[in-house]
Amino acid sequence: MEAMIIDVTQDNFDEMVLNNSMHVPVLVDFWAPWCGPCKQVMPMLEKLAHDLAGRFILAKVNTEEQQELANKYQIRSIPSFKIFHQGQMVQELQGAQTASAFREALEPYLKPDLSEDLRQQAQQAFNAGEYDQAIKLLGDASQANPNNFRIHLDLAKMYFQSGHLDKAEALMEKLPDEAKQSKEGKSLQALFKFTQIVANADDIETVQKTLQNDPNNAEALYHLSGYLMLHNHPDKAMSCLLKLFSVAPDYQDGVAKKTLIETFEMLQDERPELVNTYRRQLQNLLF
């Protein structure tokens, strides 16, 4: 879908804003060419319109040229923003805002995002072992909303969890910084750390045999934590790292503690109870 960004005048305000708001919310930006904060906010709003393409309309009113509209809506300072829904003004924001503030204000009025439903279906299919169906559903989701970067993060994670590490890393490299710096992106990048842990390790059978002969072998404990995380056993991986921290806290400049903290951040939203359990155990070892 195309982003809907329009310039609004006194002549077309009713049609462009009030009538269109019966179908999708309309965010009206009252601005002026001389206004510095207006110029700072405008690119952010235009990007949001692209990210949420088809789900709301960004209507721009130049108050220098449209003074009647500015007076009608009692614009005393700019930038000033008003959200219209179902023909009515439903919310106002004053002054420069963050992108998340605009998104939060729009959220109650946005049209449902089909791509999010398809993402959920894809995850359910993947969990049920229906790999090809999951990939197809993510493809459908991407067509429904090409700007939803979470779809591509889901795909990278599925590649990762199914052992296609090269595909996962290649896809992650192509993603925009916004995706990489998102909560989901950082979580996925943390997972890649475990691929690096095992990259130069012996095979898992050799690592396990080493630990049978020497249960406190720091290198083997570290490598086993990587294998366990990659095989989707985060609880066992964290147990391994806790043991490593208890027997060799200074191993590789304290890598056990650093990796545990990264793992906590990665799993906090998905497995909060598990994280809290192991976080307490780490605190007990620290204090």
Side-chain angles (χ1 to χ4, degrees), residues 83-234:
I83 298 174
F84 289 79
H85 178 64
Q86 297 293 306
Q88 303 292 323
M89 187 185 70
V90 291
Q91 197 160 347
E92 299 178 82
L93 296 95
Q94 192 64 48
Q97 306 284 329
T98 62
S100 59
F102 285 116
R103 188 164 189 149
E104 186 178 333
L106 283 164
E107 198 69 44
Y109 315 106
L110 291 175
K111 289 177 64 179
D113 186 353
L114 175 60
S115 72
E116 286 297 311
D117 289 337
L118 291 167
R119 277 186 65 217
Q120 296 295 327
Q121 292 176 38
Q123 190 60 56
Q124 290 167 5
F126 184 79
N127 293 341
E130 300 169 1
Y131 181 77
D132 292 339
Q133 177 67 4
I135 300 299
K136 179 186 180 300
L137 285 165
L138 287 181
D140 294 342
S142 184
Q143 286 187 342
N145 184 357
N147 299 310
N148 187 347
F149 65 75
R150 290 176 179 81
I151 297 165
H152 306 290
L153 287 171
D154 286 349
L155 180 57
K157 190 170 185 179
M158 286 180 188
Y159 281 149
F160 185 93
Q161 292 176 333
S162 57
H164 298 91
L165 302 183
D166 291 343
K167 286 184 178 181
E169 290 189 86
L171 180 54
M172 281 296 291
E173 286 178 9
K174 294 177 184 176
L175 291 178
D177 287 341
E178 181 186 9
K180 292 176 183 176
Q181 295 305 313
S182 69
K183 181 174 62 180
E184 298 93 335
K186 287 181 178 178
S187 173
L188 198 50
Q189 289 180 86
L191 264 180
F192 284 124
K193 174 167 183 171
F194 290 95
T195 67
Q196 296 164 359
I197 291 174
V198 303
N200 299 313
D202 293 326
D203 60 74
I204 190 168
E205 290 82 7
T206 302
V207 170
Q208 289 172 323
K209 189 172 181 180
T210 299
L211 287 169
Q212 284 175 356
N213 297 325
D214 179 8
N216 293 335
N217 185 291
E219 182 178 66
L221 284 168
Y222 187 47
H223 289 165
L224 183 59
S225 75
Y227 279 118
L228 288 167
M229 187 62 77
L230 293 179
H231 285 82
N232 202 26
H233 296 295

Side-chain angles (χ1 to χ4, degrees), residues 45-112:
L45 285 176
E46 291 175 347
K47 182 179 184 305
L48 187 62
H50 284 282
D51 290 345
L52 299 176
R55 299 180 67 200
F56 85 97
I57 295 172
L58 172 59
K60 301 188 288 187
V61 175
N62 183 338
T63 55
E64 289 290 283
E65 297 175 352
Q66 307 299 323
Q67 293 185 10
E68 284 185 53
L69 274 179
N71 290 334
K72 179 177 179 180
Y73 287 97
Q74 299 180 336
I75 304 303
R76 302 286 180 254
S77 63
I78 53 174
S80 185
F81 312 92
K82 298 184 188 295
I83 298 174
F84 289 79
H85 178 64
Q86 297 293 306
Q88 303 292 323
M89 187 185 70
V90 291
Q91 197 160 347
E92 299 178 82
L93 296 95
Q94 192 64 48
Q97 306 284 329
T98 62
S100 59
F102 285 116
R103 188 164 189 149
E104 186 178 333
L106 283 164
E107 198 69 44
Y109 315 106
L110 291 175
K111 289 177 64 179

Side-chain angles (χ1 to χ4, degrees), residues 221 234-244 260 278 281:
L221 284 168
D235 51 343
K236 294 179 181 178
M238 287 189 286
S239 288
C240 232
L241 289 167
L242 277 172
K243 183 171 182 180
L244 173 57
L260 273 168
Y278 282 94
Q281 291 185 40

